[in-house]
Amino acid sequence: MRAFFCRLPLKLVWVRFLSFLLLALLLLSSLAAPVSAQAASLRPLTLEGLRDRVRHPVRHEGVDWIDLRQFDIDLRESNREFREQFYNQIRTRLLRPDGVSLGLDLSDALIRGDLEQQRLGVRIPVYSEPDLPSLSPQEQEQLAKDRRRLSQLSRLSRTLLNDPDRLPKLDLTLMRGPLRLQRTHVTGLTRFTNTFFLERLEASRARFEGGVDWAEARFSQPVSFAGAGFGGEVKFRSALFFAPASFAAARFQGRVDFAAVEFQQSANFARAQFQQAADLRRVRFQGNADFAGAQWSSSAEFEGSQFNQGAFFTDVNFGGAVSFRESQFAEPVNLRGAAIRAQADFSYALFAKGAYLNVSSLRFDPEQARLLGDPGEIGRWLRVPTLAGNEAVLRSLVRNFRTLEQVADANQVEYTTERLRANFLWHQLVDLNVNNASPKRLEALGFSLAQVTAIVQARTAHPLRKPTDLLSVPAVNLATFARLRNRLAVGEPLGWGTKLRVALHWLWLEALLLLSKYGSDFWLAFGLGVLGIAYFAVVFWGTDRLRQATNPPLLGECVGVLGLALSLSLIALPLVWMHSDAPGRVLGLCLLLGLPLPGWARLTQASQPLPSELPGASYFVEDGSQRELHLQIGRLPIRPRFPWFRERYLPLQLLRRWNWLNYFDLSLDNFLKISFNDVRLRDEHLPAWVALLVWYQWGLGLIYAALLLWTLSRTIPGLNLFIYF
């Protein structure tokens, strides 16, 4: 290489050297361009100018301000004399003896070096009365409130150390007047540690290149960092905001530490950008927490945080892992349109009554990201308002929980999906379709005459395909659309054949949802089975025993039948009530399936005479050759015709005290296909309504057995392999 340069002409070597030097200078100038451009348009602040500004405050909005706007203020170590004079003169002027607060306005200024708030305020003790007679009653009340809060926290911590009476000696920097840092550019560190701001702080669109340290600061008035840029590390650990705080559209380029911060009113982080890890652990949001449109390039930690009002994470982008472990939510959490790129952890999170996670339009790829939570719990907190537009989201969530082997949560999401589908089918059947409804029906629905005319003209030109197409009709306003959107349907009108198919689909789907929560709750299905066994056992006993006036049942038999049926009902009803989302509708469906036919059979029995043959014999026969537990899936409730088998089936022994157990055995066999003593119908002199009653329960039992096996296969991993193969 050396030989190569030696062979080059001397003029060419100097040209290349000067080119490299020029390129390096251009790069350095581009890096310093923002500061240089701003400094070129600002006036340097001198000692004479500082004294003049301090002695002559400007009156604005009823407050006197030290006006240092649009100055180039050099507070670097190399300018130590000016820096000392700057802090001394401003601090002396801010401590007015007359008790009137004086503000400091540094808007549009360039501050070179560090900005130390502790050298601008007044130092007062935390746990004793400050020696400041000029404080107003409102200021003294705020300090006393903060003192009580700190004293309680300190005593609690000292109690854990077995020293409850000793309080540490701490000082607090008190900033009495308002502070303006709007569009201020600070090149060094901004330090406001343990500072109490009695007035408002305005720092919108400010730039803090060297990082900020606002740890344990307290803000009694509204704070605005809207549009501010933070170049270094940001520390707000244990800060306290008594009034609304705004960090809207703020840009955090370094690490962010908001651990143990308390927002007693609303906190606005909408459209904020976090380029590195953000620590928001144990944060208390007493008001609304608005993170709508925020962008996280790295991890976000909300572990142990409390959201006492609404939490808005709409359209946020979690580029890294986000953790809500052990967080508490008092109201719904809005994740509409949020993007989870890595992992979202809601393990051990607590949701108050009425709180849930709105995951509508969630951008979530189960192949690349994970949604974690307590097994069997997280699925219950995921909600979407409608099925339209959210089917892909729900399928992704099911795949996520299947991959994590959280079967209960995957089933819960599928249950939510099918419940929304059933609601959609119902609205298709009952809602008024705008595309084929008559003008009178549209007017009766709630549209005005002008709106009806406009809708008719719009659908004549082209049919409306989705509900939001109504907003394109000029006469239909948003208020009318919001009021009537749940009572109308938009799309292709359904014919009678299509309506019948949709109705059957809705009936079948609604039955699955009510009887087993779409195969996701075994105990609900089991409770309904126990209730059905007890009910039909009583029906069979009454049909067989109460018809015989010459041989009525004994009191002990009545007590045994009703007592066992009541005991089974007391087991089944709590299961249905606890595991069903609509226990009233479930029991109503059971009554609809169980009451009409047995009621008709009982009326028929009362109106028809007893058969002349076998008047005292039971309608049911038993297999006298066995007393064993059998699983009889393919067994029919009638006696075989083969003579040798007919000899094995004998009428029930009505005079035995334990005979009433046979009716429960028959009901158990018909419903669960399990029998201890094979009881069937006799085929001689049998009334048709008795056979119909038994066959009806047997048919319900087939459907119930399939429902129970399907539910088991969905709730117990691997069981479907034994059931289907």
Side-chain angles (χ1 to χ4, degrees):
M1 181 66 67
R2 182 178 178 181
F4 173 76
F5 277 105
C6 292
R7 287 194 298 268
L8 289 176
L10 182 62
K11 183 177 180 181
L12 184 59
V13 172
W14 279 104
V15 169
R16 292 193 175 186
F17 175 75
L18 292 176
S19 300
F20 283 121
L21 182 61
L22 181 61
L23 180 61
L25 292 176
L26 289 175
L27 290 175
L28 292 176
S29 62
S30 64
L31 293 176
V35 177
S36 301
Q38 184 179 8
S41 61
L42 300 179
R43 297 168 294 168
L45 182 62
T46 62
L47 288 177
E48 293 76 11
L50 176 63
R51 295 190 187 100
D52 181 67
R53 296 283 174 164
V54 170
R55 293 173 182 173
H56 302 89
V58 177
R59 190 76 175 177
H60 181 64
E61 296 180 355
V63 180
D64 292 335
W65 295 84
I66 298 178
D67 188 5
L68 297 179
R69 294 177 296 173
Q70 298 180 350
F71 274 105
D72 185 352
I73 306 173
D74 191 355
L75 301 179
R76 290 176 291 186
E77 184 68 23
S78 59
N79 199 14
R80 181 180 302 179
E81 181 180 357
F82 175 82
R83 183 183 63 183
E84 297 299 327
Q85 290 291 331
F86 175 83
Y87 285 118
N88 291 335
Q89 292 190 31
I90 293 181
R91 182 176 181 275
T92 303
R93 185 57 175 158
L94 291 178
L95 297 178
R96 297 178 60 171
D98 53 3
V100 179
S101 61
L102 185 65
L104 177 61
D105 193 351
L106 294 170
S107 300
D108 299 297
L110 172 61
I111 300 177
R112 302 175 185 268
D114 299 341
L115 179 61
E116 299 180 2
Q117 179 63 27
Q118 294 180 352
R119 304 185 61 178
L120 294 176
V122 56
R123 303 288 292 180
I124 62 173
V126 174
Y127 297 108
S128 60
E129 294 294 335
D131 188 15
L132 289 176
S134 61
L135 290 179
S136 65
Q138 293 80 8
E139 294 172 342
Q140 294 179 4
E141 181 181 358
Q142 292 180 7
L143 287 175
K145 181 179 179 181
D146 184 65
R147 190 181 303 113
R148 289 192 299 269
R149 181 185 67 87
L150 291 177
S151 178
Q152 293 174 358
L153 294 176
S154 180
R155 289 184 184 278
L156 178 60
S157 62
R158 303 302 299 178
T159 300
L160 299 177
L161 298 176
N162 297 323
D163 191 7
D165 297 328
R166 183 180 177 183
L167 293 175
K169 295 182 179 180
L170 297 176
D171 290 338
L172 178 69
T173 302
L174 184 65
M175 188 70 183
R176 297 182 57 190
L179 177 63
R180 281 182 178 173
L181 298 172
Q182 294 180 345
R183 297 173 299 278
T184 304
H185 185 185
V186 183
T187 62
L189 176 64
T190 305
R191 186 180 294 110
F192 292 84
T193 307
N194 202 18
T195 304
F196 199 123
F197 292 87
L198 296 177
E199 294 293 337
R200 64 185 182 274
L201 171 63
E202 301 175 4
S204 58
R205 299 173 62 185
R207 295 174 59 191
F208 303 95
E209 285 190 6
V212 297
D213 188 357
W214 303 69
E216 299 185 8
R218 271 86 85 192
F219 307 89
S220 61
Q221 298 297 324
V223 178
S224 176
F225 288 93
F230 300 90
E233 186 176 2
V234 179
K235 293 182 180 179
F236 277 88
R237 178 180 290 270
S238 302
L240 177 59
F241 296 85
F242 292 98
S246 176
F247 291 85
R251 301 178 304 279
F252 300 93
Q253 298 179 4
R255 293 181 60 87
V256 178
D257 186 0
F258 275 85
V261 174
E262 180 176 351
F263 297 94
Q264 293 196 354
Q265 295 190 32
S266 61
N268 185 3
F269 287 85
R271 304 180 307 282
Q273 299 179 14
F274 300 87
Q275 296 186 6
Q276 294 191 28
D279 186 356
L280 293 100
R281 293 175 296 176
R282 304 183 306 280
V283 178
R284 295 183 61 186
F285 297 95
Q286 303 285 0
N288 290 329
D290 188 0
F291 289 87
Q295 304 289 322
W296 271 274
S297 300
S298 186
S299 61
E301 298 181 1
F302 288 89
E303 295 182 8
S305 297
Q306 298 182 18
F307 298 86
N308 294 328
Q309 290 190 21
F312 302 93
F313 292 90
T314 54
D315 299 317
V316 302
N317 184 11
F318 293 112
V322 56
S323 175
F324 290 93
R325 291 174 64 90
E326 300 180 1
S327 297
Q328 301 178 24
F329 303 100
E331 292 187 4
V333 182
N334 196 339
L335 289 169
R336 178 187 292 271
I340 300 176
R341 308 298 184 186
Q343 175 177 295
D345 190 356
F346 289 89
S347 300
Y348 307 106
L350 299 178
F351 293 85
K353 185 178 181 180
Y356 56 87
L357 299 175
N358 182 2
V359 294
S360 177
S361 303
L362 181 70
R363 290 171 288 171
F364 175 72
D365 186 1
E367 300 296 333
Q368 301 176 358
R370 288 288 181 267
L371 181 64
L372 306 180
D374 297 337
E377 295 291 334
I378 183 63
R380 298 192 296 115
W381 307 121
L382 302 177
R383 307 280 180 83
V384 293
T386 59
L387 185 62
N390 292 307
E391 291 188 80
V393 175
L394 295 171
R395 285 196 301 267
S396 298
L397 291 173
V398 171
R399 290 174 57 193
N400 170 78
F401 292 127
R402 296 287 184 194
T403 304
L404 297 174
E405 297 184 358
Q406 296 182 208
V407 179
D409 297 310
N411 289 339
Q412 181 65 36
V413 175
E414 288 187 342
Y415 167 64
T416 301
T417 304
E418 299 306 322
R419 187 175 56 185
L420 292 172
R421 194 184 310 279
N423 187 44
F424 171 74
L425 295 176
W426 172 255
H427 282 287
Q428 276 193 317
L429 292 172
V430 301
D431 288 350
L432 185 66
N433 196 309
V434 179
N435 287 319
N436 64 345
S438 63
K440 291 184 178 180
R441 296 190 65 184
L442 289 174
E443 191 172 354
L445 184 65
F447 290 105
S448 64
L449 183 59
Q451 292 172 343
V452 171
T453 304
I455 291 173
V456 171
Q457 293 177 354
R459 75 186 187 187
T460 302
H462 54 82
L464 304 177
R465 298 299 181 185
K466 53 186 179 179
T468 53
D469 289 346
L470 280 172
L471 295 176
S472 62
V473 179
V476 179
N477 52 31
L478 183 60
T480 304
F481 175 76
R483 179 169 51 89
L484 301 177
R485 62 177 303 177
N486 293 327
R487 298 167 54 190
L488 52 87
V490 177
E492 191 70 25
L494 302 181
W496 288 108
T498 306
K499 280 191 174 182
L500 179 60
R501 187 176 68 253
V502 171
L504 293 176
H505 186 191
W506 175 82
L507 285 173
W508 178 251
L509 188 56
E510 192 71 18
L512 292 178
L513 293 172
L514 290 176
L515 298 179
S516 66
K517 297 177 71 172
Y518 200 73
S520 64
D521 199 321
F522 165 77
W523 292 110
L524 173 60
F526 177 76
L528 293 174
V530 173
L531 193 63
I533 291 171
Y535 172 72
F536 277 98
V538 174
V539 169
F540 294 151
W541 173 78
T543 301
D544 197 32
R545 297 290 285 131
L546 297 181
R547 67 184 175 87
Q548 300 177 8
T550 59
N551 190 16
L554 300 177
L555 179 60
E557 184 178 352
C558 297
V559 172
V561 171
L562 298 180
L564 181 56
L566 182 61
S567 301
L568 293 176
S569 300
L570 292 178
I571 296 174
L573 287 176
L575 290 176
V576 174
W577 195 268
M578 290 187 299
H579 290 268
S580 175
D581 293 337
R585 295 176 61 189
V586 172
L587 295 178
L589 178 60
C590 293
L591 291 177
L592 183 63
L593 294 174
L595 276 184
L597 187 60
W600 170 80
R602 185 59 184 165
L603 293 176
T604 303
Q605 180 184 17
S607 62
Q608 293 181 358
L610 295 175
S612 57
E613 295 83 0
L614 305 176
S618 174
Y619 289 136
F620 307 102
V621 294
E622 61 175 340
D623 187 355
S625 65
Q626 64 175 2
R627 291 290 188 273
E628 298 175 355
L629 178 63
H630 284 269
L631 181 63
Q632 302 180 1
I633 298 295
R635 167 254 193 209
L636 298 178
I638 56 174
R639 182 168 59 180
R641 294 183 57 190
F642 191 64
W644 290 358
F645 283 98
R646 293 176 63 88
E647 294 176 359
R648 292 165 50 185
Y649 287 90
L650 304 174
L652 296 182
Q653 303 179 51
L654 302 180
L655 299 180
R656 295 296 181 93
R657 294 183 177 180
W658 46 262
N659 175 68
W660 53 273
L661 291 173
N662 287 313
Y663 301 103
F664 286 90
D665 191 10
L666 173 63
S667 183
L668 178 66
D669 197 356
N670 280 347
F671 227 65
L672 289 181
K673 312 307 177 186
I674 299 175
S675 68
F676 297 92
N677 184 23
D678 190 8
V679 181
R680 309 193 184 195
L681 283 170
R682 76 183 189 191
D683 55 358
E684 297 175 337
H685 312 291
L686 181 70
W689 53 267
V690 178
L692 180 61
L693 193 61
V694 177
W695 276 100
Y696 177 68
Q697 197 217 8
W698 185 83
L700 290 179
L702 279 182
I703 299 175
Y704 175 76
L707 176 68
L708 193 63
L709 291 175
W710 178 60
T711 304
L712 284 172
S713 68
R714 287 171 52 82
T715 54
I716 302 179
L719 185 63
N720 54 347
L721 299 178
F722 295 97
I723 294 176
Y724 301 138
F725 299 100

